[in-house]
Amino acid sequence: MGEKKRIELDYSKIESDRMRLNVGPQHPSTHGVLRLEVELDGEIVTEVVPHIGYLHRCFEKHAEKMTYPQVIPYIDRMDYVTSMNNELPYVMAIEKMLGIEVPEKVQYIRVIMCELNRIASHQIAVATFGLDAGAFTPFLYFFRDREYILAIFEKASGARLLFNYFWIGGLAADVHPTFKEDVLAIVKQVRKTNKEIEDLLIYNKIFIERTANVGILPPDVAINYACSGPVLRGSGVKFDLRKNEPYSIYDRFDFDIPVGMGEVGTVGDCWDRNIVRMREMEQSCRIIEQAIEQMPNEGDVQEKLPKKIKPPKGDIYMRAENPKGDLGFYIVSNGTDKPERVKARGTSFVNLSVLPEISKGYMFADLILILGSIDIVLGEVDR
Amino acid sequence: METTNFVYNLIPNETIAIIVISVIPLIFLIVYALLAILGELKISAWIQERLGPMRTGPWGILQPIAEVVKLIQKEDLTPDSANKPLFNLAPYIIFMGAYASFAVIPFSRYFVPSGINIGLFYIFAVGSIAVIGIVMGGWASNNKYSLLGAMRSVAQIISYEIPGAMAILSVAVLASSLDLEKINIAQEGGIWNWFIFGGQGSWSKIWVFPFTLVLSLIYLVASLAETNRTPFDIPEGESELVAGYHTEYSGMKFAMFFFAEYANMFVVAAVLTITFFGGWNSPFGNFMQGPGWDVFWFISKAFFFVILQIWLRWTLPRLRVDQLMYVGWKVLLPFSFICFLFISLFKMIN
Amino acid sequence: MLEYIKNVWLGFWTVIVGMKITFTHLFEKKVTVQYPDDRYPIPPNARNKLHLEPTLCNGCTSCARICPVNCIKVETLRVVPDDPEQPMIADGTKRKLWVPVYDIDFAKCCFCGLCTTVCPTFAIKHTVEFEYSTYSRDDLYVRFSDMSPEKVAEKKKMLEEFQAKEKAAKAEAARKAAEEKSKAEAQAKAESSPVTESKESN
Amino acid sequence: MTINEIYEQLKEEYGDSIIELIENPPCDSSIIVKAESIFDICHTLRDKPGFEFDYLMCLSGLDLGENLSAVYHLYSMKHSHKVVLKTIVPKDNPKIPSVEKIWRTADWHEREAYDLIGIIFEGHHNLIRILCPYDWEGYPLRKDYKEPEYYHEMKVPY
């Protein structure tokens, strides 16, 4: 229907009063407690200033006083919709420092859990993105499926959201006997729902009009802002840590990296970022199927560890591909059982910093969609 | 005063008769609004594979009553910095606009509250009152979100009245009248005589069908915009404007907005029924035709369109404000002009 | 122009497609349940409210030490060797510590499950119970110890007596040892240097 | 390119500004550089062919006791190699040139390091607190940080 939407105003010719509007910290579409100070000219956004820190829980300060295993429950709470993925880089970093090889079975379970959690996270991202655009029904279809995934997590780890499942040197517990069948059933269900959502939401003309050509993030800007995950790939940059720097056992699987191609608009718009998430769900399904096939049935899930985990003196930076982008942990060890410093490079924190850059000149309703397409979780922004 | 209104003829005292006649639509409106709220809750729930309200009464059918009771009990807040007279007046003005439309809606050939001969014109006139209430409420709230919502609403309703009016005008052309009763009578004799198929006349009227179909769709879309329903609910725009023009309202005043929205939904559904879908007429010719059946057919047809509106709401995302203008001015308006032109030509040739 | 017609048609058609999908869902089986009446099953290993089996706890306090939020408070008393009650842990080993205080503050608990994995006797474990909201935050502070205050006082007294006795015995022993030592030293001195009388001997 | 080659090349170009290369397997190796020249070094690392570190993965502040330190984790999308730079500044004058103009992602990272550790990044366009409230006093991640007893005349319960 409409053409290109970015409206450039020449303020030397137009005299207009601007309005400063506080979006948040309590607003239905800020996905948490984010405050955006928006300057509006009519409905057109001229400036966005994000104010964060409303959910600051001093993770890094806490981590200094915890022993290494005690930090893991805190890591769960950073990006609370992708707890499994959050734990992975941390435990990998400690394992690398200690020089532990985890058992084969553990690796496979970790990958399956991470990919399931990736699906769950992307489901929330697409669902809330639809909700921002005003479509309520797809939101609940996704949440229905997400419940099935969480049920698997609950059966394996005991918790539905904050798992504390990946431990240094292994897992907290072995998976239940029907794990493989459950996971395959979910993969089937996820594919079915995705097909339906594509018709209902993604290729809906109204949705395309709302999201295409909106919030365009060029690839060079995306890299300069160190964006990662679907935000980076939506801009057409084929970069995925699972492929480019395979960690864990991701080099054993055959999967593609979906990138934004500007099918309905320009490369790097909101629709591209969204479709990358939809397609990544399919790739995750493929990884899960391969992993289920290769996974050994027998085996221990916990490596023998000393009672007190004392990594050698030094520092390490480990990152892994989270659903939202690469999450990095910079861990400085001083040789005792407590870390000197654990710095988390929050994916959402970095991705959110690009918002003021890409939302200028669009309408206020677009700002909400751009924010939704970045897919932030305030727990990770503020930590 | 000559009238076909049976209540008027039943009661000898004129004043009492008028009061009774005006109260009947109000009672109907309240009952309908409760049903529509229940319908909205249940249909949205079933579409989303939920059960919906289940606790109040069997299958939760008393839920709307519980909600009304809750809203009455709630504290009626008025913001400190609001313009109080306007703030308090706005919801009632909106409701009045919706309620006034019921004056001319012919429920049956024997019950038209007030049969005036420019009924269509009247409905369009009082239907626009709602926008005044919305602007009043939005501006008086002294809230930036409300103001944005109110301003959007003005632009939206004014833009969409034109294609809507064009669609209705073509029916006026076909019926040669603005009187809703006459329009109804012109569609008597089964589904083939409805204006969506060109009204009464020879089979050559089938040439009109594509145009009346498009016009009825245009009116449906325009009416969605006028009642602020999804996909045109941008004045409320829950995800961006919190609740738009009624962000600051609570309690009974909020309930008034709510009622007015549902009342407006019925009005536009009724107008669509009357103009294109035969009004009180049975679709089977003389079968199931009569004063009692009139009410049944009219209300069930109108309810179908109300349900259609609800169904659309839980399917579609929301448009953006400039796209809304685009759809109104660049899609609906040209199409309605073209269709209107062809229908006028057809009428002239016949 | 063609683009325009195509867009209008697409707008119309995708709405129809969407309505078709929502219509089919209208009659599908509902996934929500009437919660307190029907509920989805909770797996037995679910990590919900903590429960301590006091007869199993041996008072090692490793749970309190591993807890990341410090919601477990454990105090222990040593068992006196000649205690007439002869306390045993349910698994048959002899108890070395009484546990007069074992409190969990569920308002703080983060359900990470670390305490259950370090417990050597499997005394503390998560249950499937998750509905325990209360009107007061104080009600979430749960005391698990099975010892009555009188018993605690008694044991405390017993321990104090025992400790006093032990102290006395120790002092006695120390005194004896010192005496012996001094005696031996004096003897040694006397033997090694009989000429000079040393001051250190006293 | 391995970190040793990068170190050699940087050493050639900058001489004294590059202090040393710390190798400590299995932990990360890092290059310690002088704080004053971090901007120039980063600029070279981003733009010189062969380096092309276009991606600043992480910028962390660190409290080493007497000194503060900023750690830069760089990555090159093109060559898939990484390097870790470290600068050490005294606690009483913690000034490091800002690299915000080189990688704009450093904007928020530097604000965070300023907020929590108290490193002052010279040349940053908007160096204000980001996670803590704007009127917060002290730098919470310093080892000698004392939790305030009162905040806005409210007693903080600990």
Side-chain angles (χ1 to χ4, degrees), chain A residues 2 6 11 123 133 154 176 204 214 245 259 267 309 321 356 358 382-383:
Chain A
R6 193 158 190 152
Y11 286 105
Q123 278 177 335
E154 194 183 18
H176 50 282
N204 185 301
V214 164
E245 269 187 16
V259 289
V267 176
I309 292 164
E321 184 75 25
I358 59 172
D382 297 340
R383 301 191 292 283

Side-chain angles (χ1 to χ4, degrees), chain B residues 9-186:
Chain B
N9 297 336
L10 213 68
I11 300 168
N13 187 324
E14 199 176 328
T15 324
I16 295 174
I18 287 169
I19 291 171
V20 169
I21 287 168
S22 57
V23 162
I24 288 173
L26 187 65
I27 292 167
F28 168 77
L29 184 57
I30 291 168
V31 172
Y32 147 76
L34 294 177
L35 277 176
I37 292 169
L38 181 70
E40 181 103 51
L41 292 171
K42 278 292 184 187
I43 291 173
S44 68
W46 291 337
I47 281 178
Q48 292 157 359
E49 301 196 355
R50 295 184 286 124
L51 288 168
M54 289 292 275
R55 293 282 175 205
T56 38
W59 289 86
I61 54 169
L62 299 179
Q63 183 69 25
I65 294 170
E67 288 195 358
V68 170
V69 170
K70 177 201 78 179
L71 282 171
I72 290 170
Q73 284 177 336
K74 270 186 143 179
E75 189 188 358
D76 204 0
L77 282 170
T78 309
D80 208 25
S81 52
N83 187 325
K84 290 189 181 62
L86 287 184
F87 184 81
N88 290 327
L89 195 59
Y92 301 101
I93 285 183
I94 296 180
F95 184 72
M96 279 315 295
Y99 177 48
S101 309
F102 277 78
V104 293
I105 288 178
F107 287 89
S108 156
R109 71 194 67 200
Y110 292 124
F111 185 76
V112 186
S114 168
I116 54 174
N117 56 6
I118 50 162
L120 271 179
F121 182 71
Y122 172 82
I123 283 188
F124 263 77
V126 295
S128 310
I129 290 178
V131 72
I132 298 174
I134 290 175
V135 175
M136 259 173 143
W139 182 81
S141 300
N142 201 2
N143 178 324
K144 287 168 181 168
Y145 291 112
S146 302
L147 186 66
L148 275 175
M151 290 303 157
R152 286 176 176 192
S153 176
V154 178
Q156 169 181 339
I157 291 181
I158 288 174
S159 313
Y160 274 79
E161 263 179 6
I162 299 165
M166 290 310 294
I168 298 302
L169 261 184
S170 62
V171 172
V173 166
L174 284 173
S176 315
S177 171
L178 286 170
D179 190 339
L180 293 176
E181 283 175 81
K182 287 217 178 97
I183 292 172
N184 269 338
I185 290 162

Side-chain angles (χ1 to χ4, degrees), chain A residues 1 5 19-23 27-29 40 42-43 131-137 140-141 144 200 204 206 209-210 214 363-366 368, chain B residues 44 46-50 144-145 147-149 152 230-231 238-242 313-323 326-327 330-331:
Chain A
M1 282 174 254
K5 286 292 152 19
M19 180 163 83
R20 283 197 99 80
L21 188 66
N22 254 321
V23 184
H27 184 279
S29 296
L40 290 176
E43 287 249 352
L131 197 62
D132 287 341
F136 200 88
T137 307
L140 283 159
Y141 292 167
R144 175 197 62 197
L200 180 59
N204 185 301
I206 298 174
E209 287 300 320
R210 278 302 299 279
V214 164
M363 300 193 111
F364 180 52
D366 293 336
I368 301 296
Chain B
S44 68
W46 291 337
I47 281 178
Q48 292 157 359
E49 301 196 355
R50 295 184 286 124
K144 287 168 181 168
Y145 291 112
L147 186 66
L148 275 175
R152 286 176 176 192
T230 309
E238 184 232 331
S239 61
E240 57 233 39
L241 294 187
V242 190
R313 174 172 177 182
W314 297 105
T315 305
L316 294 179
R318 184 183 306 120
L319 282 167
R320 196 172 55 209
V321 64
D322 60 320
Q323 285 159 356
Y326 184 93
V327 172
K330 289 191 173 173
V331 178

Side-chain angles (χ1 to χ4, degrees), chain B residues 42-43 45-55 217 308 311-312 314-316 326 330-332 334-335, chain C residues 4-5 7-8 12 14-15 18-20 22-23 25-37:
Chain B
K42 278 292 184 187
I43 291 173
W46 291 337
I47 281 178
Q48 292 157 359
E49 301 196 355
R50 295 184 286 124
L51 288 168
M54 289 292 275
R55 293 282 175 205
L217 285 176
L308 190 69
W311 180 9
L312 273 169
W314 297 105
T315 305
L316 294 179
Y326 184 93
K330 289 191 173 173
V331 178
L332 296 188
F335 273 90
Chain C
Y4 171 84
I5 298 285
N7 277 336
V8 171
F12 176 74
T14 50
V15 168
M19 285 174 81
K20 199 191 107 214
T22 43
F23 188 74
H25 275 276
L26 210 53
F27 307 106
E28 255 171 45
K29 198 173 167 293
K30 310 292 173 248
V31 289
T32 51
V33 292
Q34 284 293 302
Y35 158 60
D37 308 339

